[in-house]
Amino acid sequence: MINTKRQNYELCHAGAYGNRVRQWDSIEAWQASDYLGPLALRVALEQGGGPKEFHVPPERVMDWASFWNISYGIRREQIRLSEMADGQRILQGQYANDFTGEFLYTFETGPMPEALAASHVYSFGLRSKLLLQAHMTPSSYADLEVLLERYPDHIFEISVWASCLGDTPGRNAIIWEVRRY
């Protein structure tokens, strides 16, 4: 059971959800990497929430870290970074792995919070699973089925792209979060 945002980040960064974009557990780890593209910045708070920022140029990371510290009391060691996933997202949303099978989703592209705010739809039950299966590569959907079995009664945040991406060949989906909090 995944009960905290911090636990979710640890599992996600360790690759427990399968395919992923490059991620770093600290500013120092990112600085030691060779990645020079735009970043997503998030905060690893116990119960979630906290600021996030997308499409951050590398030269602005320290500015955001200072701003979050002054404005919210966020310490550098609480900041998590990931590469911005390029390409066209064709489906994304939050799937409830419970008896309802509720899927709050959008066909909008861009970071999920903004995309869902711009436009969203609900589906339920088998329709939700068929919608995911229709847009995911067979390998991505097989990976999702394994996680659904492992994490009943959890919410899954999923993005699906028109083409494959990430660190696992043949996958076009990223599971950003699995939570029960």
Side-chain angles (χ1 to χ4, degrees):
M1 188 171 346
I2 302 171
N3 291 319
T4 67
K5 188 79 157 184
R6 183 179 306 278
Q7 184 182 11
N8 170 70
Y9 276 128
E10 289 170 1
L11 289 167
C12 183
H13 284 235
Y17 305 154
N19 191 33
R20 62 191 181 138
V21 294
R22 288 184 280 186
Q23 301 176 23
W24 300 272
D25 289 329
S26 68
I27 291 173
E28 291 74 24
W30 161 71
Q31 288 172 325
S33 77
D34 62 350
Y35 184 73
L36 299 175
L39 295 149
L41 305 181
R42 294 179 175 82
V43 179
L45 301 176
E46 279 301 317
Q47 295 304 322
K52 58 185 168 286
E53 191 64 33
F54 301 105
H55 301 286
V56 176
E59 62 273 10
R60 297 286 319 276
V61 168
M62 297 310 293
D63 296 337
W64 279 106
S66 296
F67 175 74
W68 286 356
N69 181 262
I70 293 166
S71 301
Y72 307 109
I74 302 296
R75 299 180 315 276
R76 278 176 58 124
E77 61 268 15
Q78 293 175 295
I79 297 174
R80 303 295 181 261
L81 304 90
S82 64
E83 70 175 304
M84 284 300 303
D86 290 329
Q88 181 184 5
R89 295 175 199 199
I90 56 173
L91 176 69
Q92 56 184 332
Q94 300 178 19
Y95 174 77
N97 187 25
D98 61 14
F99 70 95
T100 69
E102 178 182 296
F103 186 34
L104 166 66
Y105 68 94
T106 185
F107 295 111
E108 298 286 330
T109 194
M112 189 181 306
E114 288 84 358
L116 285 171
S119 170
H120 62 269
V121 181
Y122 288 92
S123 67
F124 297 90
L126 183 58
R127 180 176 170 85
S128 298
K129 284 194 173 182
L130 291 174
L131 186 63
L132 287 162
Q133 187 175 24
H135 289 85
M136 297 169 90
T137 63
S139 298
S140 288
Y141 191 74
D143 293 345
L144 175 62
E145 286 184 310
V146 169
L147 292 170
L148 293 175
E149 183 72 26
R150 187 176 299 153
Y151 298 107
D153 299 317
H154 283 65
I155 303 294
F156 287 69
E157 288 190 7
I158 305 166
S159 294
V160 183
W161 278 260
S163 58
C164 293
L165 80 160
D167 64 358
T168 308
R171 273 52 174 196
N172 71 330
I174 302 282
I175 297 173
W176 301 106
E177 188 166 342
V178 178
R179 67 176 183 269
R180 194 171 177 183
Y181 50 87

